[in-house]
Amino acid sequence: MLAVHLVSFFFSKLQEDPTKKVDRFLHAMRLQDDQLIDISKRFLAEMKKGLSAESTAAAAVKMLPTHVRSTPDGSEKGQFVALDLGGAKFKVLRVKVREDVGIRKGGVEMEEKTYPIPKELHVGRAGELFDHVSESLKDFLHEKNISPKKKHPLAFTFSFPCEHPSLDQGLLLSWSKNYKVRGLQGKDVVQSLRQAIDRTGDMDVEVLAMVNDTVATMMTCGFDDQCCEVGIIIGTGTNACYMEELRHIDLVQGDEGRMCVNTEWGAFGEDGALDDFITEFDRDVDAASLNPGKQIFEKMVSGMYLGELVRLVVLKMAKLGLLFDGHVSDALRTKGKITTADVAAMEEYRNGLKNTNEILTHLHLSPSPDDCIAVQHVSTIVSFRSSNLVAAGLAAILTRIRQNRNLRGLRITVGVDGTVYKIHPQYPKRLHKVVRRLLPDCQVRFVLSESGSSKGAALVAAVAQRLTSQRRKVDEALSLFTLNQEQLQLVKSKMREGLEVGLKSKGCTIKMLPSFVYHTPDGTERGKYLALDLGGTNFRAMLVRFKRQKSRLYHKIYTIPLEIMQGTGEELFDHLAQCVCDFLDYMGLKKARLPAGFTFSFPCQQSGIDTGTLVSWTKGFKATDCEGQDVVSMLREAIKRRNEFDLDIVALVNDTVGTMMSCAYEDPQCEVGMIAGTGSNLCYMEELKNIEKLEQSGGTPQTDKQTLEEEKDEAAVEAEKSDIETEKSKMCINTEWGSLGNDRCLEDIITPYDAEVDIHSVNPGKQRFEKLTSGMYLGEIVRQVLLDLTRRGLLFKGHVTETLKTPGIFETKYLSQIESDRLALLQVRSILQQLGLRGTCDDSIIVKEVCGVVSRRAAQLCGAGMAAVVDKIRENRGLDRLSITVGVDGALYKLHPHFSQVLKETVSVMAPQCDVTFLPSEEGSGKGAALIAAMVRQKQEM
């Protein structure tokens, strides 16, 4: 009694302003921005906890995967039957979705009928509830003259917490909203529905999807606004869902794409996370509920409880003599006598006080004007706290989306449904204002779901149908790039056949060009050497110093302009001479006549170590008057024309040979070199006796035979000096394997996309293997696939941009970026934007898959070719098992995240008797050219 008098006295001076005494009484419900930010951070931590496999069991916020992987894009179509079960009534609907009108009103037509659910079914048996649902469905089909004989796709909105193993399965976790049906918790709701439909009979329906009402709301709003990736319900209950990155959802396999997560945020606070914000009135509401200790956040926010919170506050204030002169009516003491609809009525802008007076009068109270003002203010504080708490939760969700996508700001739409949001006159405005205040860097648009969750369920089914159809067609296109063991064996055998034929005679598909390099380095190389490297759009000049099995390298890179690449031969070699002059000047060596090795990465027919006739240009070079000419002589003549320096060019080397020599300096077992970059090629140490075309009469000029004999003698001397009695004379062969398939032997694995790339290349019908495996062409193959899929409406909504039609625009470097494991989709979206393509998350996944199958095939083909070579070396040496190292260079091997691993796995499978180690070349083929120059100089000095 003393407490009552003290409180009455405390507020006596505030009677002139009834709102102030309410503010003082409910100060714990008046949340400031710093408190909301704190709550938002706590909810964000709960979200992470719920997504993690390690902590989800203990998490209050369950973060349930829904298996909804895409929002609508406007191309959905079809006719669906929908069921919506989530409250005192349920609805059956026929939903027609029309294609290509999703961005305009009228894209979805609906007919519906509402069926009551008797109260006894709310707490009855599961079979009884679903029999009622099934019989109502049959009644609807009959009433709408929908044929029961034809199979009808069905979408099911079920607004209770469920765990989804798949889109058409849902295990009930718990009941809410005064439902306590027996025999369903922990079981598959969809299976129970199917069994009921079977019992009812005379219906042929296929349940495609079961979704929560929150997810359905997001999908409904997403059909008209494709920026909608969040759904919120603020009605009888409350919940939120959003599109989460799949890589963060531990409970679902897969890393790519997004999936809608049903947060079930009503349970936030069950673990005590909101204890310091819970008032005595919240505790009273919880204690009197059907599920004490559960759904704490929902009991502070949702329409089922707001009216009761207001009643309890008014009752307490009346008991303390702060309202109605201390009078308390029996009605005011009765649970549920103030509803959320009453709360909304009290806060109407014009008639709020009048409505408050009427509501209180109906409770058998005699309110004064100040009482009405005070009770209205109680209602305002309770509902304002609700909107503030929702704003804090939504801010956490939007913050997570922004962080997931590594964005400073975010532009997004939130779909909203629920009676509180719809009927409360102030609620939406308050919610929007607080969200924008908490997240000033985010542009958040709120869209009210006009058609409810039933339409959304049908759209989930429509999206599922679209994705299934799209997936099938995309898989058919990409299956062309999948190579089985039989096809890989064919490539291996064709490569082996080409190697053998090429060793016997000139003019074969695989050229098998002699390099006149007879052995790998032995570590005795000494001195300073110049190395020149031309193999693509860049030219490298290098100074290499060898001393005691160590080397130091100095280099400078020069660009080859396109007009030089495709100009005259004289212009090209004059440009190279100018670059060499600049480098010597830079190094202070202009007056020194250094021995030089020239790496020339194009097919050359060599008749000696320092001569080579260009067979044909590749890699986009088309300089005139070069093919059929000795490229060493052309460089010497260009140096002579410049008349500023002199070089002793002692060796002409292919980049593949240079790579092998460079790696052999580090690993004596290295006897194979491979380039997987702009071009594709391989060299290896072949038994000299097997190179029959060198000894054919008329096969090489007499001078070549003489050179060969001299080199054979030198090789013999070296063998004796090395005391290796069993060593056989070998020569490095530059296979030029890129021309495999020029004779159409690979037609079985050539796709229409490869054919398009070949037709529009500078050398149609040539370098067919290289066009399947090298960096110069992989990006263009991907572009051709993307173009085809887009024209077929499977990508980018069928919108073909001029950029996508531009050859060469999809650079091969994008494949490496796109296939990186973690930031893949962000990279894809960035690249697509550069190409002028506004792709969805699903588009990004398909683009990544296209890149994956094209690059994987390239690695497998190189692996099959490599298997042919190492098996040949093993058989040459009569070994049961071969251990050998392959020196590798090229951006595709070094930079692509998966190419090297797929290559190794393929070689292991295709050549099981060979142990192959791959050694990346750290200093490129230039060092190899310098090594060969050193080896030649050593021989000359002997």
Side-chain angles (χ1 to χ4, degrees):
M1 199 63 191
L2 177 62
V4 172
H5 289 301
L6 285 173
V7 174
S8 298
F9 175 78
F10 185 75
F11 284 110
S12 62
K13 295 183 179 181
L14 300 176
Q15 288 179 355
E16 72 280 0
D17 188 348
T19 61
K20 286 188 177 180
K21 67 180 178 183
V22 174
D23 286 341
R24 183 71 62 88
F25 191 74
L26 293 180
H27 70 278
M29 282 192 177
R30 295 175 58 82
L31 301 176
Q32 304 303 312
D33 280 3
D34 59 338
Q35 292 174 298
L36 295 177
I37 290 169
D38 183 20
I39 291 169
S40 186
K41 288 178 179 177
R42 296 184 195 188
F43 184 67
L44 192 58
E46 283 293 316
M47 292 171 68
K48 292 178 182 177
K49 193 174 174 182
L51 288 169
S52 169
E54 296 177 355
S55 54
T56 187
V61 180
K62 290 303 181 185
M63 305 294 287
L64 303 172
T66 65
H67 294 269
V68 174
R69 295 173 182 262
S70 176
T71 52
D73 70 358
S75 66
E76 290 77 19
K77 58 183 177 180
Q79 179 171 299
F80 305 88
V81 177
L83 300 178
D84 190 344
L85 175 61
K89 301 175 182 178
F90 90 101
K91 292 190 291 188
V92 186
L93 305 94
R94 173 163 59 181
V95 184
K96 294 180 181 178
V97 184
R98 296 205 306 274
E99 187 179 9
D100 291 331
V101 291
I103 59 172
R104 299 188 298 274
K105 296 294 181 183
V108 177
E109 297 176 2
M110 296 194 300
E111 300 175 74
E112 66 177 65
K113 185 174 180 180
T114 300
Y115 294 85
I117 299 181
K119 283 192 175 181
E120 59 269 20
L121 292 183
H122 291 204
V123 292
R125 294 186 176 277
E128 295 169 348
L129 174 63
F130 283 104
D131 282 344
H132 176 71
V133 169
S134 177
E135 287 161 7
S136 301
L137 171 61
K138 185 174 181 179
D139 173 75
F140 180 82
L141 295 178
H142 178 73
E143 182 178 308
K144 300 298 180 183
N145 293 318
I146 300 174
S147 171
K149 302 299 181 185
K150 183 180 176 184
K151 184 179 285 292
H152 301 287
L154 185 143
F156 185 22
T157 302
F158 187 72
S159 307
F160 302 93
C162 288
E163 180 183 327
H164 289 265
S166 64
L167 188 59
D168 63 347
Q169 288 180 289
L171 308 178
L172 178 65
L173 296 178
S174 62
W175 287 108
S176 58
K177 307 174 192 173
N178 289 327
Y179 272 77
K180 272 204 167 182
V181 177
R182 301 189 301 278
L184 191 61
Q185 196 161 328
K187 295 183 179 178
D188 184 1
V189 177
V190 175
Q191 185 62 24
S192 296
L193 174 62
R194 286 173 175 148
Q195 289 170 351
I197 290 171
D198 289 342
R199 285 194 297 270
T200 302
D202 293 328
M203 286 185 289
D204 190 3
V205 296
E206 179 184 10
V207 184
L208 293 182
M210 186 185 95
V211 295
N212 182 277
D213 55 345
T214 322
V215 179
T217 294
M218 182 189 74
M219 297 296 280
T220 297
C221 297
F223 189 66
D224 294 317
D225 184 338
Q226 288 169 34
C227 290
C228 184
E229 296 186 80
V230 181
I232 293 180
I233 298 288
I234 316 165
T236 307
T238 185
N239 197 11
C241 69
Y242 72 103
M243 296 301 290
E244 174 63 80
E245 305 300 314
L246 194 57
R247 67 179 184 270
H248 294 150
I249 308 174
D250 287 357
L251 298 179
V252 178
Q253 288 187 339
D255 290 326
E256 297 306 331
R258 295 177 183 146
M259 180 178 286
C260 182
V261 167
N262 167 24
T263 66
E264 288 296 337
W265 76 2
F268 180 39
E270 287 182 7
D271 58 354
L274 293 175
D275 281 0
D276 47 339
F277 295 100
I278 291 175
T279 67
E280 60 178 293
F281 309 107
D282 298 310
R283 293 189 187 95
D284 290 343
V285 166
D286 180 49
S289 68
L290 289 173
N291 53 350
K294 304 294 183 183
Q295 299 296 105
I296 300 299
F297 187 72
E298 184 170 78
K299 289 168 184 173
M300 301 170 76
V301 165
S302 76
M304 178 170 270
Y305 304 98
L306 292 184
E308 185 63 8
L309 282 168
V310 170
R311 185 189 72 82
L312 291 173
V313 174
V314 172
L315 177 62
K316 179 74 177 285
M317 291 183 73
K319 285 181 177 179
L320 292 173
L322 301 176
L323 292 173
F324 319 126
D325 293 327
H327 174 68
V328 179
S329 67
D330 289 340
L332 184 59
R333 296 178 190 275
T334 305
K335 180 181 175 183
K337 281 295 183 178
I338 296 180
T339 65
T340 299
D342 293 335
V343 173
M346 290 182 201
E347 294 186 62
E348 282 186 16
Y349 180 66
R350 293 187 181 279
N351 299 315
L353 286 175
K354 177 185 173 186
N355 294 338
T356 304
N357 184 70
E358 291 177 356
I359 290 165
L360 294 176
T361 301
H362 286 148
L363 294 174
H364 307 299
L365 298 166
S366 301
S368 67
D370 280 358
D371 289 335
C372 290
I373 292 171
V375 172
Q376 183 189 53
H377 198 51
V378 169
S379 178
T380 298
I381 290 175
V382 170
S383 64
F384 214 133
R385 185 186 67 158
S386 170
S387 62
N388 279 344
L389 289 171
V390 170
L394 180 57
I397 289 173
L398 298 179
T399 297
R400 179 163 182 85
I401 293 173
R402 182 169 56 80
Q403 291 173 347
N404 283 346
R405 301 176 191 180
N406 199 26
L407 301 171
R408 292 184 61 184
L410 179 68
R411 183 180 179 183
I412 198 165
T413 298
V414 178
V416 196
D417 201 0
T419 51
V420 174
Y421 187 88
K422 285 181 176 179
I423 69 171
H424 193 290
Q426 311 296 332
Y427 201 99
K429 182 172 63 175
R430 293 171 184 166
L431 174 64
H432 304 170
K433 186 176 180 179
V434 177
V435 168
R436 287 164 184 151
R437 198 165 69 232
L438 295 177
L439 296 173
D441 294 333
C442 295
Q443 298 179 44
V444 186
R445 179 173 182 248
F446 291 85
V447 174
L448 180 63
S449 172
E450 300 289 351
S451 307
S453 55
S454 314
K455 171 182 171 181
L459 286 169
V460 170
V463 169
Q465 276 195 338
R466 168 175 62 81
L467 293 178
T468 300
S469 173
Q470 180 190 58
R471 181 75 264 165
R472 185 179 64 255
K473 292 174 183 176
V474 169
D475 286 346
E476 287 172 0
L478 300 191
S479 68
L480 299 174
F481 293 93
T482 302
L483 300 175
N484 56 38
Q485 284 301 113
E486 186 179 340
Q487 290 171 311
L488 289 172
Q489 192 62 47
L490 171 68
V491 173
K492 179 184 176 183
S493 62
K494 292 295 182 184
M495 181 68 77
R496 177 64 181 268
E497 184 182 312
L499 299 176
E500 300 290 0
V501 173
L503 288 171
K504 291 187 170 78
S505 58
K506 294 183 181 181
C508 300
T509 301
I510 299 180
K511 296 178 179 63
M512 302 295 284
L513 302 172
S515 69
F516 293 88
V517 173
Y518 291 90
H519 59 85
T520 53
D522 60 9
T524 63
E525 295 76 20
R526 301 285 185 275
K528 290 191 296 187
Y529 302 89
L530 200 64
L532 311 175
D533 187 349
L534 177 67
T537 55
N538 292 327
F539 173 69
R540 266 209 317 170
M542 289 158 279
L543 178 69
V544 187
R545 291 179 176 171
F546 297 106
K547 186 178 182 181
R548 297 176 185 171
Q549 286 193 302
K550 293 184 179 179
S551 62
R552 295 191 67 179
L553 188 147
Y554 310 86
H555 76 280
K556 200 170 180 182
I557 297 175
Y558 301 87
T559 301
I560 309 292
L562 183 63
E563 60 270 19
I564 297 290
M565 290 170 61
Q566 300 185 356
T568 67
E570 188 171 295
E571 289 170 342
L572 173 62
F573 283 92
D574 282 347
H575 180 73
L576 300 185
Q578 179 185 336
C579 295
V580 175
C581 181
D582 175 81
F583 179 72
L584 292 173
D585 194 37
Y586 172 73
M587 296 298 298
L589 295 169
K590 214 167 183 181
K591 294 182 180 178
R593 188 175 187 270
L594 295 174
F598 183 18
T599 301
F600 190 74
S601 309
F602 304 91
C604 284
Q605 185 70 54
Q606 288 187 248
S607 55
I609 191 66
D610 62 349
T611 63
T613 302
L614 177 62
V615 177
S616 61
W617 284 118
T618 57
K619 307 175 194 173
F621 275 75
K622 291 173 70 176
T624 59
D625 303 320
C626 293
E627 292 180 359
Q629 301 298 315
D630 181 357
V631 293
V632 176
S633 296
M634 293 185 76
L635 180 57
R636 284 173 176 154
E637 288 165 10
I639 292 170
K640 200 176 290 183
R641 283 195 297 274
R642 191 162 190 87
N643 198 27
E644 291 186 48
F645 64 93
D646 194 14
L647 284 185
D648 182 15
I649 304 174
V650 298
L652 178 68
V653 184
N654 180 273
D655 58 341
T656 321
V657 178
T659 295
M660 182 191 76
M661 298 298 281
S662 176
C663 292
Y665 191 68
E666 311 294 332
D667 182 348
Q669 279 198 309
C670 182
E671 295 186 80
V672 181
M674 178 182 175
I675 297 291
T678 306
S680 178
N681 196 14
L682 180 137
C683 70
Y684 71 102
M685 297 302 292
E686 178 58 85
E687 305 300 314
L688 198 57
K689 64 184 179 182
N690 293 339
I691 312 174
E692 296 179 22
K693 64 183 177 183
L694 283 176
E695 306 209 8
Q696 292 172 355
S697 60
T700 56
Q702 189 62 39
T703 54
D704 294 351
K705 285 188 176 182
Q706 184 179 347
T707 303
L708 176 61
E709 293 303 323
E710 290 173 359
E711 295 286 1
K712 281 184 177 178
D713 292 341
E714 290 176 9
V717 170
E718 288 296 325
E720 289 172 11
K721 285 177 69 177
S722 302
D723 268 338
I724 305 175
E725 297 178 1
T726 58
E727 182 184 353
K728 297 179 181 178
S729 292
K730 304 183 184 74
M731 180 188 287
C732 181
I733 292 293
N734 167 24
T735 66
E736 289 296 338
W737 76 356
S739 56
L740 177 69
N742 288 4
D743 57 358
R744 304 181 67 83
C745 69
L746 298 179
E747 289 304 298
D748 286 349
I749 64 169
I750 299 286
T751 71
Y753 309 112
D754 301 314
E756 279 294 311
V757 170
D758 178 53
I759 289 168
H760 295 100
S761 67
V762 295
N763 55 350
K766 305 296 184 185
Q767 299 297 105
R768 298 306 300 274
F769 188 72
E770 184 171 73
K771 287 171 185 172
L772 303 177
T773 57
S774 78
M776 185 165 195
Y777 300 100
L778 297 189
E780 184 61 10
I781 296 171
V782 169
R783 186 188 72 85
Q784 289 289 347
V785 178
L786 299 184
L787 189 59
D788 176 57
L789 295 179
T790 304
R791 284 172 172 162
R792 293 166 59 189
L794 302 175
L795 268 180
F796 313 126
K797 291 192 188 177
H799 179 57
V800 179
T801 64
E802 287 302 316
T803 314
L804 189 57
K805 291 191 282 188
T806 305
I809 200 69
F810 201 99
E811 299 176 36
T812 296
K813 67 178 183 181
Y814 293 152
L815 274 73
S816 298
Q817 295 171 5
I818 286 170
E819 291 190 69
S820 62
D821 290 324
R822 275 297 169 194
L823 296 179
L825 289 183
L826 293 176
Q827 297 283 6
V828 175
R829 297 291 281 272
S830 173
I831 291 165
L832 296 181
Q833 286 171 8
Q834 292 176 42
L835 296 175
L837 296 165
R838 290 192 62 188
T840 64
C841 182
D842 296 315
D843 291 332
S844 300
I845 292 170
I846 292 172
V847 170
K848 183 173 183 181
E849 288 178 356
V850 172
C851 293
V853 296
V854 170
S855 60
R856 179 176 178 80
R857 183 190 64 165
Q860 287 179 310
L861 289 172
C862 288
M866 176 72 71
V869 171
V870 294
D871 258 351
K872 175 169 173 50
I873 295 172
R874 180 182 61 79
E875 291 173 17
N876 282 348
R877 300 177 188 180
L879 300 173
D880 291 330
R881 192 156 203 89
L882 172 72
S883 291
I884 196 166
T885 298
V886 177
V888 198
D889 201 3
L892 194 57
Y893 182 89
K894 289 182 173 179
L895 301 181
H896 191 282
H898 307 302
F899 187 95
S900 60
Q901 187 59 37
V902 175
L903 172 67
K904 293 171 188 174
E905 290 170 357
T906 307
V907 173
S908 176
V909 171
M910 301 299 294
Q913 293 172 269
C914 300
D915 298 320
V916 182
T917 301
F918 289 84
L919 177 63
S921 172
E922 297 299 331
E923 294 167 319
S925 56
K927 177 181 172 182
L931 280 165
I932 293 172
M935 290 162 59
V936 171
R937 177 52 60 90
Q938 279 182 328
K939 289 178 183 179
Q940 291 173 346
E941 291 173 352
M942 285 178 63

